[in-house]
């Protein structure tokens, strides 16, 4: 073999994402890829010094696929269970030279994470099935009782159903008393919380999905507190806030003198700091492709190498990631690695926006109001007339926007009661809230009998039947146009939905992509996709 061929083979093995073994005709391991150490529980050096006969006898390889190829001289594919409890699918090929079998090259792929995802999905499906069964049991038993008249038999089933329902209610009650600072009242959020509590004790990677401000960080913190790693550190990293040039040194750490400006004592990276705890990577969709490759290697191999170092360190942390982007779409666009997407998409959890779980708004308002009172040493209250306004808004910025609005309202209220009069001037001059319906477009009435008023006009983007475009920003001196009237039997919600649908259709006809529509509308791209699907 020429030196070029030797170096080419070495590069392929050293950089492979799958786990490679090269085994001689006598069963001696000639080379393995670095990632095999995390799966088979032995260092690369120890594996290279071993023989597959002994590895199979000691249970490291159960069974050895290379031995099967040496016995049969044919390509073999099989499932293996490693000594570390990982389940892999392996494929091995014989290498012949002048008709003589010289060595075996095998490749294995870890299936454990995929199986964990399937198990968690099955648990979630079972949970929903049980919920539906409990909801329908009462009606079914009533019908049986009316037809048969055998109250004794039915009461037995009824008692069992009641006991099962009581057990589920007790589980939910136990959950609600162990939620820390999280406030969940809506059924969908309770289901999500129960799922996270159930998987908290495992090491499965969790992918938090949802719009900006829905509470992904708060749920990641709570998942850490529920886990067996609660006494370990919780390291939060905003992937979009670290410059690409500094990301590797910040995440992996560096040795003294590794680069110009490196500290004399070196530095442990954020991954090392998460030892025994949880590493939370927020906005993972912002990672550059080069950095994604390095992160994938850590996840696969389970080891970290500092900049300027030749030794590796074990990576012992629970990985939780979050994003407000559509990662599948970014994969299609070539902006996110497909293999990394599969690695982190073990247990996806989608947190719905606040407008789809309005039941949570009162508890969130009360919680943040209490924080503001404690921080500023006052005891302000929210006037009852503001509650209909708060409950009606879409809160496009979700919990973050709600909290920011409350803080502005708290600071602008001169008395200890936050009412319409105290916040009207603030909201009327706030363009962000005007766009979201908290300013003049929804308006506040001076009539305190109902606390809500509708203004007669609203300034919009010169929309007419002519050639003006929604894709253009409002020109200076935009005219005030009359608000469209409600239909005879149309509610306010239905009227707003009709106007929104009209705007979306016009933007979809004029703008080239859903990303452009999202930028123009000021909301996330997944929300635009969902809204456009609802129009079809």
């Amino acid at each position: 073999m020429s030196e070029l061929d030797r170096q080419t083979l070495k590069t392929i093995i050293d950089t492979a994402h799958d786990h490679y073994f090269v085994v001689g005709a006598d069963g001696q391991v000639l080379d393995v890829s670095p990632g095999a150490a995390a799966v088979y529980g032995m260092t690369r050096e120890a594996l290279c010094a071993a023989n597959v006969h002994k590895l199979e006898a000691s249970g490291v390889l159960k069974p050895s696929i290379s031995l099967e190829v040496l016995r049969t001289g044919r390509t073999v594919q099989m499932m293996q269970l490693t000594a570390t409890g990982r389940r892999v699918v392996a494929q091995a090929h014989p290498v012949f030279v002048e008709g003589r079998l010289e060595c075996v090259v095998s490749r294995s792929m870890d299936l454990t994470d995929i199986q964990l995802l399937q198990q968690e999905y099955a648990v979630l499906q079972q949970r929903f099935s049980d919920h539906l069964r409990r909801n329908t049991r009462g009606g079914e038993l009533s019908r049986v009782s009316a037809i048969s008249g055998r109250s004794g038999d039915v009461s037995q089933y009824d008692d069992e159903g009641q006991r099962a329902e009581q057990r589920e209610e007790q589980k939910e009650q136990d959950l609600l008393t162990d939620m820390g600072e999280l406030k969940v009242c809506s059924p969908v959020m309770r289901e999500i919380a129960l799922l996270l509590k159930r998987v908290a004790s495992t090491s499965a990677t969790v992918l938090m999905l949802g719009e900006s401000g829905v509470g992904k960080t708060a749920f990641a913190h709570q998942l850490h507190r529920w886990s067996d790693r609660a006494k370990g550190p919780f390291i939060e990293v905003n992937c979009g806030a670290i410059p690409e040039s500094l990301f590797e040194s910040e995440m992996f750490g560096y040795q003294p003198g590794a680069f110009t400006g490196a500290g004399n004592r070196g530095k442990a990276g954020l991954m090392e700091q998460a030892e025994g705890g949880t590493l939370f990577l927020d906005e993972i969709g912002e990672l550059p492709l080069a950095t994604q490759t390095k992160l994938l290697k850590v996840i696969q191999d389970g080891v970290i190498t500092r900049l300027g170092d030749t030794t590796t360190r074990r990576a012992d942390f629970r990985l939780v990631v979050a994003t407000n982007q559509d990662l599948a779409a970014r994969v299609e666009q070539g902006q996110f690695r497909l293999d990394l997407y599969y690695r982190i998409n073990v247990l996806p959890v989608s947190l719905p926006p606040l407008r789809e779980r309005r039941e949570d708004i009162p508890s969130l308002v009360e919680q943040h109001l209490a924080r503001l009172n404690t921080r500023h040493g006052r005891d302000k209250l929210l006037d009852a007339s503001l509650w209909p306004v708060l409950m009606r808004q879409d809160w496009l910025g979700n919990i973050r926007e709600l909290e920011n609005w409350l803080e502005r309202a708290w600071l602008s209220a001169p008395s200890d009661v936050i009412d319409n009069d105290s916040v009207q001037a603030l909201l009327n001059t706030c363009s962000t809230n005007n766009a979201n319906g908290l300013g003049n477009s929804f308006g506040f009435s001076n009539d305190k009998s109902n606390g809500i008023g509708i203004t007669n006009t609203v300034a919009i983007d010169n929309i007419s039947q002519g050639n003006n475009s929604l894709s253009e920003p409002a020109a200076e001196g935009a005219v005030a146009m009359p608000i469209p009237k409600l239909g005879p039997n149309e509610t306010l919600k239905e009227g707003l939905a009709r106007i929104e649908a009209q705007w979306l259709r016009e933007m979809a006809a004029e703008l080239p992509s859903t990303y452009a529509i999202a930028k123009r509308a000021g909301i996330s791209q997944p929300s635009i996709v969902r809204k456009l699907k609802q129009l079809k």
Side-chain angles (χ1 to χ4, degrees):
M1 180 185 294
S2 67
E3 183 62 23
L4 176 60
D5 292 339
R6 186 176 291 104
Q7 291 301 323
T8 300
L9 178 61
K10 183 177 185 302
T11 301
I12 292 174
I13 293 176
D14 289 348
T15 60
H17 293 147
D18 291 339
H19 312 299
Y20 280 89
F21 271 72
V22 180
V23 177
D26 58 351
Q28 180 65 37
V29 179
L30 303 178
D31 200 1
V32 298
S33 57
V39 174
Y40 294 98
M42 295 176 62
T43 65
R44 186 181 187 184
E45 293 75 15
L47 286 171
C48 289
N51 188 289
V52 289
H53 293 276
K54 293 183 178 179
L55 292 177
E56 185 180 58
S58 61
V60 175
L61 302 175
K62 295 190 288 189
S64 169
I65 191 171
S66 298
L67 284 182
E68 185 64 22
V69 174
L70 291 175
R71 283 192 289 264
T72 63
R74 294 180 297 180
T75 295
V76 177
Q77 184 172 347
M78 65 171 61
M79 295 290 296
Q80 286 181 322
L81 180 65
T82 71
T84 59
R86 313 291 288 185
R87 189 173 294 277
V88 301
V89 57
Q91 189 176 46
H93 305 272
V95 177
F96 292 95
V97 177
E98 296 179 354
R100 186 174 65 254
L101 197 159
E102 290 289 344
C103 67
V104 176
V105 177
S106 67
R107 179 181 65 187
S108 62
M109 182 174 60
D110 192 356
L111 298 180
T112 308
D113 289 341
I114 297 176
Q115 290 178 333
L116 279 173
L117 174 59
Q118 293 171 338
Q119 291 168 6
E120 296 303 333
Y121 180 76
V123 169
L124 183 59
Q125 288 291 94
Q126 184 62 45
R127 169 73 178 168
F128 282 130
S129 298
D130 293 344
H131 180 70
L132 291 174
R133 195 159 49 245
R134 288 198 307 274
N135 287 344
T136 57
R137 180 184 289 117
E140 292 172 355
L141 291 176
S142 298
R143 289 193 295 272
V144 171
S145 179
I147 295 172
S148 66
R150 295 179 295 184
S151 59
D153 294 339
V154 174
S155 63
Q156 176 184 353
Y157 292 108
D158 195 20
D159 290 342
E160 292 177 0
Q162 288 179 356
R163 284 195 295 269
E165 190 167 339
Q166 288 172 356
R167 287 194 296 269
E168 292 300 326
E169 289 177 354
Q170 185 60 45
K171 285 182 181 179
E172 293 198 7
Q173 189 60 38
D174 293 342
L175 170 71
L176 294 176
T177 59
D178 189 24
M179 287 296 293
E181 295 186 356
L182 284 182
K183 295 296 180 182
V184 292
C185 298
S186 58
V188 63
M189 296 304 286
R190 289 190 180 187
E191 290 293 339
I192 290 173
L194 285 169
L195 172 63
L196 289 177
K197 189 171 186 180
R198 193 160 48 239
V199 303
S201 59
T202 71
S203 60
T205 300
V206 176
L207 171 61
M208 301 277 188
L209 302 168
E211 297 177 6
S212 179
V214 294
K216 297 187 290 292
T217 301
F219 270 89
H221 272 283
Q222 188 59 49
L223 178 66
H224 172 71
R225 287 190 286 266
W226 280 331
S227 72
D228 299 334
R229 299 172 176 265
K231 294 182 179 179
F234 180 88
I235 303 299
E236 180 181 352
V237 182
N238 189 323
C239 298
I242 303 178
E244 182 178 357
S245 58
L246 300 178
F247 191 87
E248 187 172 2
S249 61
E250 288 295 318
M251 290 298 295
F252 296 90
Y254 55 84
Q255 290 294 92
F259 52 88
T260 303
N264 295 330
R265 298 183 178 179
K267 180 183 177 181
L270 294 170
M271 289 185 177
E272 280 188 63
Q273 296 176 32
E275 176 75 19
T278 300
L279 178 66
F280 176 53
L281 300 182
D282 197 9
E283 304 299 346
I284 193 170
E286 301 291 340
L287 276 182
L289 283 171
T291 309
Q292 293 175 27
T293 303
K294 297 171 184 175
L295 175 61
L296 175 65
K297 189 168 180 60
V298 172
I299 297 174
Q300 287 190 152
D301 300 346
V303 294
I304 304 169
T305 304
R306 290 186 183 182
L307 288 178
D309 199 359
T310 58
T311 60
T312 59
R313 294 171 169 82
R314 294 290 299 171
D316 179 24
F317 54 77
R318 167 75 170 279
L319 182 62
V320 181
V321 299
T323 182
N324 61 1
Q325 300 188 27
D326 186 348
L327 290 184
R330 289 182 67 82
V331 169
E332 293 179 0
Q333 297 162 5
Q335 298 175 334
F336 201 85
R337 292 184 62 104
L338 178 62
D339 42 9
L340 178 59
Y341 174 70
Y342 284 129
R343 280 290 180 178
I344 64 176
N345 194 27
V346 178
L347 181 61
V349 177
S350 296
L351 300 181
L354 193 55
R355 59 187 173 275
E356 295 179 5
R357 48 182 176 104
R358 298 177 191 269
E359 305 97 315
D360 294 329
I361 291 178
S363 58
L364 290 169
V365 170
E366 292 172 358
Q367 180 189 47
H368 194 57
L369 197 60
R371 286 200 203 107
L372 292 170
N373 286 332
T374 301
R375 185 189 309 165
H376 299 290
R378 296 281 294 273
D379 192 18
K380 294 189 178 184
L381 302 173
L382 197 68
D383 189 83
S385 62
L386 288 178
W387 281 109
V389 180
L390 297 178
M391 294 296 293
R392 188 173 57 222
Q393 303 316 307
D394 280 345
W395 300 112
L396 301 182
N398 295 296
I399 299 173
R400 188 177 295 118
E401 182 188 359
L402 174 63
E403 291 179 348
N404 289 343
W405 183 90
L406 282 172
E407 186 160 5
R408 288 194 297 270
W410 195 101
L411 293 172
S412 64
S415 67
D416 284 343
V417 178
I418 305 172
D419 56 15
N420 290 347
D421 292 337
S422 63
V423 300
Q424 184 176 11
L426 169 71
L427 295 172
N428 287 347
T429 58
C430 180
S431 60
T432 301
N433 281 333
N434 282 337
N436 289 342
L438 284 173
N440 273 340
S441 57
F442 263 79
F444 286 96
S445 170
N446 291 325
D447 180 5
K448 294 185 179 180
S449 61
N450 58 19
I452 306 171
I454 302 296
T455 56
N456 293 325
T457 60
V458 57
I460 56 177
D461 292 359
N462 279 341
I463 303 172
S464 68
Q465 300 299 324
N467 56 7
N468 288 331
S469 170
L470 274 170
S471 61
E472 297 297 328
E476 185 177 355
V479 298
M481 301 292 290
I483 293 181
K485 293 183 179 180
L486 293 174
N489 299 317
E490 191 175 43
T491 66
L492 179 62
K493 182 177 180 181
E494 291 169 345
L496 292 173
R498 173 171 53 83
I499 297 171
E500 180 186 74
Q502 177 185 346
W503 288 347
L504 286 171
R505 288 191 180 97
E506 293 184 13
M507 286 189 287
E510 297 174 5
L511 297 174
S513 67
T514 55
Y515 290 94
I517 298 174
K519 183 177 181 181
R520 173 67 186 90
I523 60 178
S524 67
Q525 188 264 350
S527 295
I528 288 293
V529 173
R530 184 173 60 253
K531 289 177 180 292
L532 290 176
K533 285 182 178 178
Q534 291 172 352
L535 296 181
K536 295 180 180 180

